[in-house]
Amino acid sequence: MAKRRIVVLGSTGSIGTQTLDVVRQHSDELEIVGLAVHSSLDKLMAQAREFKVRHLAVGDGALAADPRCDEARALVASLPTPPDAGPCDAPSFGTGAEAVVALTQLPEADVVVNALVGAAGLEASYATLAAGKVLALANKESLVVGGDLIMPLAAALDERRRAEGLAPAFGPAGALMPIDSEHGAIYQCLIGESACEVSKLWVTASGGPFRGKTAVDLAAVTPAEALAHPTWNMGSKISIDSSTLMNKGLEVIEAHHLFAMPYDRIEVVVQPQSAIHSMVEFTDGSVKAHLGTTDMRIPIQYALSYPDRWAAPVAPLDFRTLGTLEFAAPDTDTFRCLALARRAGETGGTLPAVMNAANEVAVAAFLAERIGYLDIARCVEAAMEAHEREGVQAVESIEQLRAVDGWARSVSEQWVSRQGQPS
């Protein structure tokens, strides 16, 4: 069987590097044909050498004049041409956001792993599905901000895959494969089940490093403390989101879009051991739970191997040593970001885009020690309220969402700047 050829967007981040590790372990089945990063040129070139990748992109356009870009161009030109390459398959290297999105259009690509951070990932997700490629999605903002645009594209590609005999005989057609451990878990629990018999989706949360803390306890939290996640090793943005429970709020919105589930049938439950990755409850009271080792290579691999299962990339969970499993309701009074995200999702339209942009600005400001930890939620709420006063719009286009995102960032940055001024 031919190898699945993969483009990895965000290849030097947490999800990207673990994706490459899965490819190392399954090199007979997988091949990397394109890599994109934001600014890590040296790491990008090391990856290109290892995997012999002839198509590279750097998202930070300010690096276009960096001498290392010339080195990267020379590198891809020196790599061997694949034996099945066509006459137009010249190596490529580009800078800027457009160059990153262009990798989704490579004729030889079968799957695009979108591990970009933030709202920048939306356009890449849209372009991937529009080009007929399978989207392995780790970029939350694609669905949080643009779910109304992405899901119809995914549904159309699913139908096309079925018509062309590319879909598996059993289960979803696989145009959009979630890489999130929670959504990957729900995806697997739903295989073989009727959607009309699902009564609830349970999205699990570890509770982050501050589980059980009060608002008073959190007032003086430092970035270093917020980055210390108890069970997962992630990038700085998602680690902060996990600590505020914004990450769970984003996942609730994602679940709504991915599984066409009303918000009143999606619940968050704190499961500190992170052994249960999510659960599906059915109308007869039965519950399916997906359990496994807390390692993102498992959901990454399933997104790339579907509908098959390959040898485990990590040691399996040993239930004899797991100990107890705890469950608790999230504290949405202390961790207000979860409630704000749910409110944005339930309102819909352009409000989730504003919520997401404000959160990105606030998290960056907190990491830079420009605002306090509790100010993250305050900034998000202020931006949402400002947008609601102006009027939430129905989602119509990428261009509209780009404009709303820019407006929200400006409003949020103004809010952050005011926090440093004397009252």
Side-chain angles (χ1 to χ4, degrees):
M1 189 175 76
K3 292 183 180 181
R4 294 182 189 180
R5 296 166 296 184
I6 302 167
V7 169
V8 183
L9 308 181
S11 64
T12 58
S14 175
I15 295 297
T17 54
Q18 291 179 89
T19 299
L20 297 185
D21 192 48
V22 170
V23 174
R24 286 186 191 97
Q25 296 187 51
H26 295 284
S27 58
D28 291 341
E29 291 92 359
L30 303 171
E31 177 184 0
I32 302 294
V33 297
L35 295 170
V37 300
H38 175 64
S39 59
S40 302
L41 261 167
D42 292 334
K43 292 180 180 178
L44 174 66
M45 286 191 285
Q47 292 174 342
R49 289 188 188 97
E50 178 184 355
F51 292 95
K52 297 180 174 56
V53 182
R54 302 170 68 246
H55 300 283
L56 307 177
V58 176
D60 186 352
L63 292 174
D66 191 304
R68 291 174 297 172
C69 289
D70 293 330
E71 294 177 36
R73 290 186 186 90
L75 171 63
V76 297
S78 70
L79 293 171
T81 302
D84 58 346
C88 298
D89 186 27
S92 65
F93 174 85
T95 59
E98 299 83 2
V100 174
V101 173
L103 291 184
T104 68
Q105 309 300 298
L106 289 175
E108 62 266 42
D110 301 310
V111 182
V112 175
V113 174
N114 186 350
L116 297 172
V117 176
L122 170 58
E123 295 190 39
S125 290
Y126 189 94
T128 296
L129 292 169
K133 317 289 188 184
V134 170
L135 174 62
L137 186 61
N139 173 262
K140 293 182 180 301
E141 291 76 12
S142 292
L143 294 179
V144 170
V145 175
D148 292 334
L149 301 176
I150 294 296
M151 293 313 299
L153 271 181
L157 183 54
D158 274 340
E159 287 304 310
R160 179 173 143 196
R161 287 171 60 80
R162 291 188 184 97
E164 295 176 355
L166 299 174
F170 180 73
L176 198 169
M177 295 298 302
I179 281 180
D180 245 353
S181 63
E182 293 81 2
H183 301 106
I186 293 171
Y187 191 97
Q188 294 180 61
C189 287
L190 288 173
I191 291 176
E193 302 290 351
S194 171
C196 66
E197 295 174 350
V198 176
S199 61
K200 189 172 293 185
L201 305 180
W202 288 95
V203 178
T204 55
S206 71
F210 305 131
R211 179 171 56 93
K213 301 292 187 182
T214 66
V216 173
D217 298 328
L218 298 177
V221 159
T222 66
E225 290 169 332
L227 289 169
H229 195 279
T231 53
W232 293 100
N233 180 22
M234 305 175 292
S236 60
K237 162 66 166 56
I238 194 170
S239 293
I240 300 300
D241 283 350
S242 180
S243 76
T244 64
L245 294 194
M246 175 59 85
N247 201 41
K248 289 303 125 179
L250 300 180
E251 288 171 5
V252 166
I253 298 174
E254 284 184 280
H256 164 75
H257 287 294
L258 278 169
F259 307 113
M261 190 63 61
Y263 283 99
D264 61 1
R265 290 164 59 191
I266 306 173
E267 296 291 346
V268 173
V269 59
V270 176
Q271 205 286 292
Q273 292 78 24
S274 297
I276 297 179
H277 298 145
S278 276
M279 300 175 286
V280 175
E281 183 177 329
F282 298 93
T283 51
D284 64 354
S286 301
V287 177
K288 276 188 179 180
H290 181 283
L291 289 82
T293 304
T294 54
D295 193 302
M296 282 304 299
R297 285 172 293 181
I298 295 175
I300 291 169
Q301 179 171 295
Y302 187 71
L304 299 178
S305 70
Y306 178 79
D308 301 324
R309 293 187 186 273
W310 298 339
V314 295
L317 187 64
D318 187 343
F319 290 95
R320 298 166 299 180
T321 60
L322 180 59
T324 59
L325 294 175
E326 303 171 64
F327 300 92
D331 179 0
T332 53
D333 291 330
T334 300
F335 300 93
R336 296 181 54 246
C337 284
L338 174 54
L340 289 170
R342 184 181 280 273
R343 178 178 126 202
E346 290 173 345
T347 302
T350 50
L351 191 58
V354 170
M355 176 273 298
N356 177 76
N359 181 63
E360 287 190 19
V361 170
V363 169
F366 169 68
L367 287 170
E369 300 185 358
R370 296 175 60 203
I371 60 174
Y373 183 76
L374 296 177
D375 287 331
I376 296 174
R378 296 183 183 119
C379 179
V380 172
E381 186 169 31
M384 288 173 59
E385 290 177 346
H387 189 55
E388 288 172 315
R389 287 193 296 271
E390 289 206 354
V392 176
Q393 310 154 33
V395 173
E396 297 173 352
S397 67
I398 293 279
E399 292 73 24
Q400 172 208 30
L401 290 173
R402 191 186 299 131
V404 169
D405 179 90
W407 174 88
R409 289 176 192 278
S410 176
V411 167
S412 301
E413 185 55 47
Q414 291 172 29
W415 189 94
V416 167
S417 297
R418 289 195 297 271
Q419 304 316 297
Q421 299 175 0
S423 57

